[in-house]
Amino acid sequence: MKKKHGLVLSLVLAAGTLLAGCGGGADKNEEAGGEGNEDIFKVAMVTDEGGVDDKSFNQSAWEGIQEYGKANNLEKGKGIDYLQSASDADYATNLNTLARKDFDLIYGVGFQLQAAVDEIAQQQKDAHFAIVDSVVEQPNVASLTFKEHEGSYLVGVVAGLTTKTNKIGFVGGMESDLIKKFEVGFVEGVKAVNPDAKVDIQYAGSFTAADKGKAIASSMYGSGADIVYHAAGGTGNGVFSEAIDLKVEDPDRELWVIGVDKDQYEEGNGKTKDGKDFNVTLTSMVKRVDVAVKDLSEKAKAGDFPGGEIIEYGIQEDAIGIAPAPHDEHLSDEVKAKVKEFQEKILSGEIEVPTK
């Protein structure tokens, strides 16, 4: 049996925003292993199909590795790196490539890599792996999971108190146990503060289909929804695009998007036809994959790799929450107070947010 526990994190957030690595992965170059640096602890990751610049959890994971690199005087191609996956057929190949390049810790980012991490970990028993958003029961794999339902509950509270139409949307990527945690937590949060609100739930069947996200959002906003929460990776970019387009056509219309994983405030920026700036991001459910990745990398470097364990991050570990100031500007004082109240109830155990 695996040991399941939470890690108490001490977050010291750097001022400013980390830039995600640009360009493709090092899938064909030889510098990925940082040749000539055998004495350093090298860390790399394999993305899912969303890519390293998905403005979601792949990007957040890479930012965590970059932070680890900055703290240890490493840079892309020299101690830290990533490989991008164009399809699921690339997962095992990319993981194996990094293992053969002697990276000390290799992340598979996203639950879609679960089978590939399981396979390659059994083949490369001397390598250390970590899976994000799933569980792999191998002694050389650490499993990083998050209490997304807790953060989704909080943004559900925001949506339930903010909606004017009592019509709210949820757009999921691929229907799975993981994304169900987002959906269920969100609906519970809405209902806790606004039992009259209706939540329209739809899945796109993909994390990389912005066109589908845009079409679903169009249907939801067209049916009267004024807030849409997405847990859909790159598909969610289409939700933002649709909200911005509608706002351009009708600047007086009040409609919002709730972002996911990263603080997606910037994704909501737009301009009216007469050049006035606006923003449609109500808030975001922030899931600090970057913090978890950096934290585990440092522990592994220090010789404390939790192989075979499930490490769970939630509100208690300061790894789940809503977007902080100044990107809470669209929330009323009443809403902020209610979020704090419900957060405390979750922490005390008074509220146990369901996952399904």
Side-chain angles (χ1 to χ4, degrees):
M1 293 297 292
K2 295 180 128 189
K3 179 181 177 184
K4 185 172 183 178
H5 60 84
L7 289 183
V8 177
L9 302 180
S10 175
L11 294 182
V12 181
L13 302 182
T17 303
L18 293 173
L19 297 176
C22 58
D27 50 331
K28 294 184 179 180
N29 63 53
E30 291 300 319
E31 81 261 4
E35 293 183 8
N37 293 313
E38 290 81 3
D39 58 333
I40 63 175
F41 191 89
K42 297 173 290 191
V43 179
M45 60 175 261
V46 174
T47 75
D48 68 5
E49 297 169 56
V52 78
D53 56 354
D54 64 349
K55 301 172 183 176
S56 189
F57 63 93
N58 283 300
Q59 183 171 329
S60 185
W62 175 236
E63 288 174 356
I65 291 179
Q66 286 179 298
E67 275 289 272
Y68 164 79
K70 184 185 297 183
N72 292 278
N73 298 313
L74 307 175
E75 59 185 42
K76 186 180 184 301
K78 296 181 180 179
I80 60 171
D81 220 322
Y82 64 82
L83 295 183
Q84 299 201 92
S85 303
S87 71
D88 57 5
D90 296 332
Y91 298 159
T93 299
N94 285 343
L95 290 164
N96 203 33
T97 295
L98 294 175
R100 289 179 175 178
K101 289 181 180 293
D102 294 325
F103 277 93
D104 297 286
L105 178 59
I106 302 161
Y107 290 89
V109 183
F111 73 90
Q112 295 181 87
L113 278 81
Q114 189 271 345
V117 170
D118 193 16
E119 174 189 348
I120 301 304
Q122 293 181 66
Q123 296 174 11
Q124 301 281 358
K125 294 184 183 297
D126 292 334
H128 285 167
F129 297 89
I131 181 77
V132 177
D133 275 351
S134 190
V135 173
V136 171
E137 296 185 355
Q138 297 296 338
N140 57 337
V141 181
S143 301
L144 306 185
T145 63
F146 296 82
K147 297 180 180 179
E148 296 93 351
H149 50 298
E150 293 183 346
S152 295
Y153 186 97
L154 295 181
V155 295
V157 169
V158 170
L161 292 174
T162 305
T163 181
K164 301 295 194 302
T165 65
N166 277 345
K167 294 182 179 180
I168 297 167
F170 173 84
V171 179
M174 296 178 66
E175 195 162 356
S176 63
D177 289 343
L178 173 64
I179 305 304
K180 276 291 180 182
K181 288 167 67 180
F182 290 84
E183 173 199 320
V184 171
F186 181 65
V187 173
E188 288 292 314
V190 171
K191 295 298 184 183
V193 295
N194 188 348
D196 295 328
K198 305 296 183 185
V199 182
D200 181 7
I201 299 164
Q202 296 190 44
Y203 282 81
S206 171
F207 291 109
T208 60
D211 57 334
K212 290 184 179 179
K214 185 174 174 63
I216 293 172
S218 177
S219 171
M220 289 178 171
Y221 289 127
S223 297
D226 55 355
I227 300 171
V228 176
Y229 173 39
H230 88 87
T235 298
N237 295 339
V239 178
F240 281 103
S241 176
E242 179 63 17
I244 289 169
D245 287 350
L246 291 172
K247 192 76 171 178
V248 169
E249 292 303 315
D250 185 0
D252 294 327
R253 182 175 179 183
E254 188 170 316
L255 50 79
W256 303 103
V257 181
I258 296 177
V260 77
D261 293 336
K262 286 175 61 64
D263 179 351
Q264 293 193 308
Y265 181 87
E266 300 295 334
E267 306 315 306
N269 286 335
K271 283 185 180 293
T272 63
K273 291 178 180 179
D274 58 359
K276 294 181 180 178
D277 293 330
F278 64 83
N279 184 280
V280 297
T281 304
L282 181 59
T283 186
S284 299
M285 196 288 282
V286 179
K287 171 179 166 181
R288 298 302 305 272
V289 178
D290 57 332
V291 169
V293 165
K294 182 176 184 291
D295 180 72
L296 179 62
S297 299
E298 292 288 4
K299 283 181 168 55
K301 177 178 179 289
D304 190 23
F305 176 71
E309 297 182 11
I310 300 171
I311 307 163
E312 190 171 39
Y313 299 81
I315 292 175
Q316 181 66 51
E317 294 75 33
D318 295 323
I320 290 287
I322 71 170
H327 294 164
D328 58 355
E329 63 187 55
H330 302 308
L331 307 186
S332 69
D333 290 341
E334 175 195 1
V335 169
K336 293 176 187 177
K338 278 293 184 182
V339 168
K340 185 175 180 180
E341 174 189 331
F342 279 96
Q343 179 170 301
E344 290 301 320
K345 288 180 178 180
I346 293 171
L347 286 171
S348 70
E350 182 178 344
I351 292 176
E352 185 173 344
V353 183
T355 61
K356 58 185 178 180

